[in-house]
Amino acid sequence: MPEAWGDGLLAREIGEQPVLVVAADGWDDSDHERARRTGQAWLPVRVEHGTAVIGPLERPGTPGCVTCFETRRRRARTDTEAREAILAVHGRELAKAASPYLDELGARTVAALTGHLIADPGHAVWYVDLRTLAVERHAFLPEPLCQDCGDLPGDAPEPIELGPTRWGAGYRVRNVLDEHQALLDAYVDGECGLIRPLVRDTLGGLVIAGAMLPLRFEGGTEPGVGRTRDYRSSEVTAVLEALERWGGVEPGGKRTTVRAAYRDLAPDALDPRVLGVHDSASYDRQGFAFRPFAEDVPCEWVWGHSFARKAPILVPESLAYYHVRGRDKPFVYEISNGCALGGSLAEAVLYGLLETVERDAFLMTWYGRRPAPRIDLSTARDTTIPVQAAAITAETGYRVELYDTTTEYGIASVWALAVRMGDDQARPRMVCAAGAHLDPEKAVMGALSELGPLLADLIRRYPDDADRARQMVENPDLVETMHDHSTLYGADAAFDRLSFLTEGTAIRALPDMPRITEDLPEIIARFPDVVVVDQTTPEHRARDFSCVKVLVPGAIPMTFGHHHRRTAGLSRLPADLNPYPHPFP
C-alpha cells in the first residue's frame, strides 16, 4: 500500500483539538469507541467499491456523527438493501481491501482531502473515485434520534409566541424562491440527504417537481410535490412539502413524555371526540384498525397550545402526528390535515389553518349536499386564472368549473371540478380539487394548480381502473385508498351524485367573495378554538423553518377510505348525511 495512505492512525490538528484519523487498513471499532470515550475528534477514511470515503468528522459534544451519516445514507440510497446484503457477507474484507486504483496519486489525493475535511465546518463526507480521481462532497444533517449523539429534549408545556403576523407579498414572511439552491444544498442528496434527488415532469398545464422523502421506518416514504408554472417554483414547493411531511409523520423535535388516561388529564387535555370520530358501525367492523375512545384507557399525549384557553393543552399523540408507531391502537384514522410549514411559526399556523378550512368546506358541502354558486372566472383581477383554466381545457378537453363553498368561518373556499365533454367512457367523467385562502383569487389558483395534474393523472390510469370504478359505484366499501375516491367518480354512473352542485344556477363574481386583511389573531378568533402542536424538528431549524399541526374542534377532518370517515360528534353536520364516498381529491 502506498506510503501516503498510511498504515494505521494519523494525528492531525483541528485548532487545538487533536483528531484521530483512521485509514482503511487500520480502522478498528475499538479505536472509535476509545475516541468517543476520551472526547477525541475522529475521522474515518475507508475504501468502498473503488471509492475512497473520507469522513464524517466527529467532533466531541457536537451532533453529526458516523452513525448519523450511515443512518441518512441507509434511507437515502435506493440500493440500500443490496448494498447491505453484500456488506453483511464481505464487509470486513471490503473495508480492509485496497482498491486496484489506489496508487500513489490516489493516496495523496485522499490524504490532501482528509486535511481539507478537518477544516470543513459542516457535516459532510468526501468521495474520491479512485479510478478517475473525481471528487464529490455530500452534506448531511445530524439525526436528532441518533443513538450515539442525539439528544432530543423531553416534551413540556411551553407558551407559544406567534411573533410578527403581518404578511409580505404572497402572504409569506420571506421569499423562499430566493433560497432555491440553498434548499437543495441543505436537504437534497441521493447519497445521504433528507430528501432524494428531485424528479421533473409536465402535467395538466403545469410543470411538476417531485421530492421523495424517506422516513425513519423501513421502506417508509412520503412524497412532496410542486405544481406551478416554472420548475424553480415547483422544486421549492416540492422540497417544502416534503419538509412538512417530515414534521407531521412522527415526533422528531421532542420526546413524548406523557402517558395517561384522559380522565386523569381532563382539565389540561383536548377531548379527541370534538375532532370527529368514527361511527359505531365502523368500530365494530372486523379488522378495523382503530379503537373507540375511552376516558379510562391510557395513551401517549403531546403538548400543544389552545388559543381559546390561552394556555398549553395536551393532545393525543396519534392526532398530532399521522405515522406514529406507538404501543397503542389509535382512536381514529388521521392524515396530514392541518399540517403546514412556514418561514415563521405564525406563517405555519396560518397555512395549517387554511388547509383545515379547505377540507372542512369541501366536506361540509359534500356531506350536507349544499348548493354552491358557480364562480365567474372572467371576473378575476389576475388574468392568469382564466388562462390556467383554459390551459387545462386545451390540454385535456375537459370543462373546468369552480364553486364558492365558503362556510361560516368566512375564509374564501372553492371547489374545482373538471367535467368530460363528450361520451367517451374510456375517459373519466370528472375529477375534483379544492382550495382556500385569505385572498379568493389565490384560493382559486391553488385549486386549479391541483386540478390540472390530478385530471391528467386520472386520464392516464383510468382505462386500467374503469372496471374497479364501476364496482365501487355499487359497493362503497371497496373505496379504501385516496386514489379510490377519484377513481370512483371517473365512472359516469356516479356523476349524478354531484347534481346538488352542478345543477345550480347561482353565479358569483370573484370580487364578491370574502378577502381577509385581518391579522392572524383576528383570523384565529373566527373559530371556537384553534389548537396548535409545534412539530418543528432540528432539520427544519437548519433553514429557519417552523412546522405545525393545526386542529380546529368541530371542523370536519378529511379521511380516505369510505369506512374511515369521521363524522360522529360533529354538531355542524346535518342529521341526513350524504351516504356516498366523497370525491376528494
Side-chain angles (χ1 to χ4, degrees), residues 226-305:
R227 307 174 182 92
T228 72
R229 300 187 69 83
D230 66 271
Y231 278 117
R232 185 163 171 262
S233 299
S234 292
E235 288 186 351
V236 168
T237 302
V239 169
L240 297 182
E241 186 170 279
L243 291 176
E244 173 200 303
R245 300 285 193 258
W246 184 251
V249 290
E250 62 181 333
K254 299 175 183 177
R255 290 180 293 102
T256 300
T257 58
V258 179
R259 179 177 174 82
Y262 173 75
R263 68 181 180 187
D264 299 323
L265 304 172
D268 300 311
L270 179 70
D271 186 336
R273 291 169 290 197
V274 304
L275 300 172
V277 296
H278 307 293
D279 58 30
S280 57
S282 293
Y283 285 116
D284 290 341
R285 287 172 64 97
Q286 185 175 1
F288 196 59
F290 309 96
R291 64 179 174 88
F293 172 73
E295 295 189 2
D296 58 346
V297 176
C299 69
E300 266 70 33
W301 301 76
V302 297
W303 284 102
H305 180 86

Side-chain angles (χ1 to χ4, degrees), residues 519-531:
D519 205 355
L520 184 56
E522 286 73 39
I523 297 170
I524 289 173
R526 292 169 173 259
F527 302 86
D529 193 9
V530 172
V531 173

Side-chain angles (χ1 to χ4, degrees), residues 70-85 127 189-199 211-215 218-221:
E70 291 295 349
T71 299
R72 296 288 188 200
R73 181 160 68 161
R74 190 178 307 116
R75 294 178 192 147
R77 290 178 58 145
T78 56
D79 63 348
T80 293
E81 186 175 345
R83 177 177 175 273
E84 291 188 345
Y127 284 8
D189 189 288
E191 188 67 19
C192 55
L194 183 69
I195 298 169
R196 291 173 182 160
L198 306 186
V199 296
M212 189 57 68
L213 175 78
L215 303 180
E218 189 68 30
T221 57

